[in-house]
Amino acid sequence: MKQFEIVSEPINPEKYREWTLNSRQGAIVVFTGHVREWTKGIKTQYLAYEAYKPMAEKKMAQIGEEIEEKWPGTIIAIAHRIGELQISDIAVVISVSSPHRHDAYAANEYAIERIKEIVPIWKKEIWEDGEEWQGSQKQYHSSIKMED
């Protein structure tokens, strides 16, 4: 069972929480990132995500390894959705469990920041009067073949 995946169907956070649950863990922190309606005063109609799936899953696994090294005893599961997402849909879920809550919180925050830095996932914001690719990796979007 994969702990790091790119999906095209709606995300059920409970599935990922269950992957990180065991008798040694005292805390689980589940983060879900949702499509918001307003960004910097501009109304979003929907978002479109694309990913280079094999590399994205590899990079998410790398993040998991980094977290296990920084916070021993943690277990992590990550899923990111691709395709067209509507307002309030879940785009990403990160579940981190650890023996103590502090590590679970810290590792979860680390995971989302690293996803934004190194995972080849691209977001296009679609508005009533236009659209634009967003994020720190948008310059790489056109140079990599997309897969879903």
Side-chain angles (χ1 to χ4, degrees), residues 97-114:
S97 67
S98 68
H100 304 284
R101 71 180 177 271
H102 181 269
D103 289 349
Y105 278 114
N108 202 300
E109 183 174 19
Y110 178 88
I112 191 64
E113 296 305 324
R114 289 294 282 154

Side-chain angles (χ1 to χ4, degrees), residues 3-14:
Q3 291 177 283
F4 308 100
E5 59 186 3
I6 300 295
V7 299
S8 55
E9 300 299 320
I11 293 174
N12 176 0
E14 182 61 15

